[in-house]
Amino acid sequence: MGEESEKVMEMKEKSLNLNNKTHFVLIHGISGGAWCWYKIRSLMENSGYKVSCLDLKSCGIDQTDPNTLLSFDDYNKPLIHFLSSLQEDQQVILVGHSAGGLSVSDAIHKFGKKIKAAVFIGATMLKSGFLTEEDIKDGVPDLSDFGEVNEVYDFGFGLGQDHPPTTMIVKKELQRKIIYHMSPQEDSTLAEMLLRPGPIQALTTARFTGAEDADKVPRIYIKTTKDYVVKIEQQEAMIKKWPPSQVYVLESDHSPFFSAPFLLFGLLVKAAVSYGCCDN
């Protein structure tokens, strides 16, 4: 075999190995962005895994005004577009944090065959979205321990003051206390600089139908036991209502990608290995 042919074979081999890599797709929660995952992405890539961190609409570096987003379908378009662009034989491990669980659930309903496993990290996990009062009780953060609603959140009224708010964000002075109380100071400082008002009007419209493949996708729930945002009681209620394949436990605040990155990374790899995604 000539030198040129050997190089071609080597390139094909490298391409095949790349395509066989376990591919994690990481989805942030409300107000966050792809930047939330910087520690996990580094750990994964240094271990040979393929990682995609997406910004949903109006989040991270996406320039959409969150006050103009009124439907969940619009908000979740970046993830749906990403999954639709995958080849039919490609599968990913989809990971959602907090409200990112809604995005994962939406994807499970629409692209179940492209999802090898779905992981929910202290996340909203509702099979059909917000259909009932019980769904809202289980899936919407209750921060009343920290004060009245207007004392905890800053709201935006893109449709006018006489309409429900279109955006919301935890007040800066409370963000570390509520969201990052076990996280390094530098990470909560970074978050304070990068968090953006979340399109709450859009998220409340999350509804999922056509669930033929939804229960065929293995789901793993990672409980965050020191979570002040999605409280452990809420997590357990959602787990009971839509039982996942496995439940892992992590002693962390609402943001384990900051407060417990090595442990979280280990659990994500464990989930991948459990479902045959062990090539890296």
Side-chain angles (χ1 to χ4, degrees):
M1 185 183 292
E3 184 177 342
E4 185 173 343
S5 297
E6 287 179 355
K7 286 183 178 179
V8 170
M9 289 296 292
E10 185 179 351
M11 288 176 66
K12 286 183 177 179
E13 203 169 292
K14 286 182 178 179
S15 175
L16 181 61
N17 289 336
L18 179 64
N19 290 334
N20 284 339
K21 281 186 177 183
T22 300
H23 187 178
F24 289 89
V25 179
L26 311 181
I27 306 299
H28 61 82
I30 189 172
S31 295
W35 57 268
C36 295
W37 300 103
Y38 80 95
K39 288 183 175 180
I40 299 300
R41 176 178 172 179
S42 296
L43 288 169
M44 286 183 167
E45 290 182 341
N46 287 339
S47 298
Y49 295 99
K50 184 176 181 179
V51 189
S52 298
C53 303
L54 305 184
D55 282 324
L56 299 179
K57 269 220 178 165
S58 80
C59 304
I61 61 173
D62 184 274
Q63 294 302 304
T64 305
D65 180 353
N67 286 295
T68 66
L69 286 179
L70 304 179
S71 76
F72 183 80
D73 285 346
D74 198 10
Y75 171 72
N76 207 34
K77 272 183 181 177
L79 174 58
I80 299 306
H81 176 74
F82 177 89
L83 292 171
S84 66
S85 70
L86 294 176
Q87 296 178 11
E88 288 303 316
D89 60 345
Q90 285 184 288
Q91 286 189 311
V92 300
I93 296 180
L94 195 54
V95 180
H97 169 249
S98 193
L102 293 168
S103 296
V104 171
S105 296
D106 186 30
I108 285 175
H109 285 72
K110 294 175 178 174
F111 292 96
K113 293 180 180 178
K114 292 186 177 183
I115 301 169
K116 186 74 171 180
V119 184
F120 296 76
I121 305 170
T124 304
M125 185 177 68
L126 301 169
K127 185 173 182 178
S128 301
F130 294 119
L131 290 182
T132 67
E133 288 296 321
E134 190 176 356
D135 292 330
I136 293 170
K137 179 184 177 183
D138 294 340
V140 174
D142 174 12
L143 303 185
S144 58
D145 291 345
F146 300 93
E148 297 296 324
V149 172
N150 289 330
E151 296 173 331
V152 175
Y153 292 106
D154 287 324
F155 293 100
F157 294 88
L159 298 176
Q161 292 289 333
D162 54 341
H163 289 81
T166 45
T167 63
M168 63 187 293
I169 186 171
V170 173
K171 290 180 179 290
K172 281 196 173 185
E173 61 269 24
L174 292 176
Q175 287 171 5
R176 177 165 180 78
K177 186 177 181 179
I178 297 174
I179 312 172
Y180 309 109
H181 64 96
M182 295 174 68
S183 301
Q185 184 75 46
E186 58 266 30
D187 288 325
S188 61
T189 300
L190 174 70
E192 182 183 319
M193 297 167 67
L194 295 177
L195 288 175
R196 295 174 60 185
I200 188 62
Q201 183 75 18
L203 267 73
T204 57
T205 69
R207 309 279 191 280
F208 314 127
T209 57
E212 290 182 12
D213 293 328
D215 286 318
K216 296 179 183 178
V217 177
R219 284 174 293 110
I220 300 94
Y221 198 99
I222 300 179
K223 295 198 290 188
T224 43
T225 61
K226 305 295 184 182
D227 198 326
Y228 294 161
V229 179
V230 182
K231 296 176 181 176
I232 191 66
E233 297 82 7
Q234 293 177 288
Q235 297 178 41
E236 289 172 347
M238 290 185 285
I239 288 169
K240 184 177 180 180
K241 188 183 296 182
W242 191 23
S245 310
Q246 297 186 51
V247 176
Y248 302 155
V249 179
L250 191 55
E251 188 173 336
S252 79
D253 58 17
H254 187 59
S255 306
F257 41 72
F258 290 158
S259 60
F262 292 100
L263 293 175
L264 177 57
F265 168 64
L267 291 180
L268 292 174
V269 171
K270 180 181 177 180
V273 173
S274 295
Y275 295 98
C277 305
C278 53
D279 295 326
N280 60 354

